[in-house]
Amino acid sequence: MPERPIRVFGDPVLKATSAPIETIDDGVRGLVADLLDSVKLPGRAGVAAPQIGVNLRAFSYNVDGRIGYVLNPVLVEVRGEKEPTGEGCLSVPGLWHDTPRHPYARVRGIDLDGQEIVVEGTGVLAQALQHETDHLDGILYLDRLEPAERRTAMREVRESDWF
């Protein structure tokens, strides 16, 4: 399946809390295939279901050659003091801002067989896990910025050619 178009800032699906996946059916299997196809494009560390217009709790990731997905992910642990980390988002194209993120994160969820999976890591993977689980709660990385940085980012959004 081809990757689906990415929804951008201003689309209401990006600010909605995603529903849990109750039943793993052909629709969910198709969603996972689309998420994996979408995240395999160059420069993508993660894609959450709302970013492709689906209000379900699922995301894919692609960090350091490690590609996967998580259904019904829960951020179960973060460690370390938050550090400003350069971050962007496919749903806020062209912007890049220092976002406070923990240096370690662990997510627990299930796979397509309903089996529990755990994904954990540091660096870019920790950042991606936090970023993608935020998407499922209707939170964009812009919402995590320090106030002065957020004002700058929102001005850039308003001035962008895609907004």
Side-chain angles (χ1 to χ4, degrees), residues 63-64 66 79 102-105 120-130:
V63 178
D64 297 329
R66 187 174 168 191
R79 268 192 241 141
H102 296 279
Y104 168 87
E120 63 185 324
T122 59
V124 174
L125 183 56
Q127 182 180 7
L129 295 174
Q130 293 167 80

Side-chain angles (χ1 to χ4, degrees), residues 37 59 69 80 93 106 135 163:
D37 285 345
F59 69 74
Y69 69 92
R106 180 167 27 135
H135 271 300
F163 182 66

Side-chain angles (χ1 to χ4, degrees), residues 68-148:
Y69 69 92
V70 184
L71 306 178
N72 293 335
V74 176
L75 186 62
V76 293
E77 183 182 2
V78 291
R79 268 192 241 141
E81 293 298 316
K82 287 183 180 178
E83 303 168 354
T85 305
E87 189 165 325
C89 180
L90 298 170
S91 295
V92 189
L95 274 66
W96 192 262
H97 290 276
D98 282 340
T99 307
R101 295 288 185 190
H102 296 279
Y104 168 87
R106 180 167 27 135
V107 167
R108 180 175 289 127
I110 59 171
D111 64 14
L112 285 171
D113 296 320
Q115 299 298 309
E116 181 180 272
I117 55 174
V118 174
V119 181
E120 63 185 324
T122 59
V124 174
L125 183 56
Q127 182 180 7
L129 295 174
Q130 293 167 80
H131 181 108
E132 302 310 327
T133 54
D134 272 354
H135 271 300
L136 304 179
D137 293 323
I139 299 169
L140 295 173
Y141 90 101
L142 300 173
D143 301 319
R144 299 282 187 199
L145 299 177
E146 297 296 332

